[in-house]
């Protein structure tokens, strides 16, 4: 299981369901442990009547950044460099958590560039900066949310 450290999480499914759920504020989060592309991850979230997580506060970032590495609901696939959340709202530039040097749209490595956002790897960093853009075709776990 990927749950550790935080008592606030209340698992509502066991590991056989591939999904772990927790509640924080009025949002309900599903930490999917299936490794999927960004679009597949989003489909999975929507099947559960939610969507990929949108980070609306430092608190939400802090909570979710303690996890390993996950897709979040942020993409610039429509227009390069214009970051939109899955509900169509623009990224608030005063509330971003990019790792230094990201996003870099590394086209030399991924011919299509990098248009989807993952968070993690630097879990626990005091500045919470753990976002990076990545090829949407990579397969990773994801975080879904829906109103509790
Ligand atoms: Ca991009
Ligand atoms: Ca990148």
């Amino acid at each position: 299981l990927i749950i550790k450290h935080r008592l606030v999480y209340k698992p509502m499914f066991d590991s056989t369901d591939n999904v772990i759920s927790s509640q924080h504020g009025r949002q309900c989060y599903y930490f999917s442990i299936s490794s999927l592309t960004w679009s597949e991850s989003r489909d999975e979230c929507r099947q559960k009547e939610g969507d990929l997580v949108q980070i609306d506060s430092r608190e939400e970032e802090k909570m979710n950044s303690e996890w390993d590495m996950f897709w979040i609901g942020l993409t610039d696939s429509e227009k390069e460099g214009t970051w939109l959340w899955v509900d169509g709202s623009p990224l608030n530039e005063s509330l971003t958590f990019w790792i230094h040097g990201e996003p870099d749209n590394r086209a030399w490595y991924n011919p299509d560039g990098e248009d989807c956002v993952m968070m993690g790897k630097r879990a626990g960093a005091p500045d919470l900066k753990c976002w990076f853009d990545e090829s949407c075709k990579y397969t990773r776990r994801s975080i879904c949310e829906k109103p509790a």
Side-chain angles (χ1 to χ4, degrees):
L1 279 191
I2 52 172
I3 290 220
K4 51 188 176 186
H5 308 315
R6 292 182 65 94
L7 296 171
V8 65
Y9 298 125
K10 297 178 193 134
M12 291 164 70
F13 303 88
D14 66 24
S15 56
T16 56
D17 285 314
N18 253 12
V19 169
I20 291 162
S21 168
S22 68
Q23 254 181 276
H24 180 260
R26 273 171 293 169
Q27 293 299 99
C28 193
Y29 298 93
Y30 295 86
F31 294 79
S32 170
I33 57 172
S34 33
S35 205
L36 301 168
T37 66
W38 190 86
S39 313
E40 290 164 350
S41 296
R42 191 170 181 206
D43 288 346
E44 188 190 55
C45 291
R46 293 174 108 172
Q47 278 164 22
K48 300 182 190 312
E49 293 165 1
D51 210 331
L52 283 171
V53 68
Q54 302 187 199
I55 308 295
D56 303 307
S57 67
R58 268 187 78 80
E59 200 185 18
E60 194 170 25
E61 170 73 5
K62 185 167 181 355
M63 178 198 134
N64 288 321
S65 66
E66 292 178 11
W67 300 71
D68 182 21
M69 222 177 357
F70 295 88
W71 288 124
I72 61 172
L74 186 62
T75 177
D76 77 336
S77 56
E78 271 185 38
K79 184 162 178 273
E80 181 56 38
T82 300
W83 295 98
L84 298 177
W85 291 109
V86 284
D87 70 354
S89 61
L91 176 63
N92 176 353
E93 293 298 335
S94 65
L95 194 72
T96 66
F97 299 93
W98 298 112
I99 291 172
H100 180 72
E102 302 282 351
D104 58 0
N105 199 49
R106 272 196 308 181
W108 58 270
Y109 184 61
N110 304 298
D112 300 328
E114 300 179 316
D115 295 342
C116 293
V117 179
M118 259 186 229
M119 66 187 291
K121 245 185 178 169
R122 290 185 51 187
D127 58 4
L128 301 178
K129 295 195 185 304
C130 66
W131 290 2
F132 56 100
D133 57 346
E134 186 55 90
S135 165
C136 303
K137 294 176 190 155
Y138 266 53
T139 55
R140 286 286 177 205
R141 302 169 185 174
S142 56
I143 307 174
C144 313
E145 71 177 341
K146 71 175 183 180

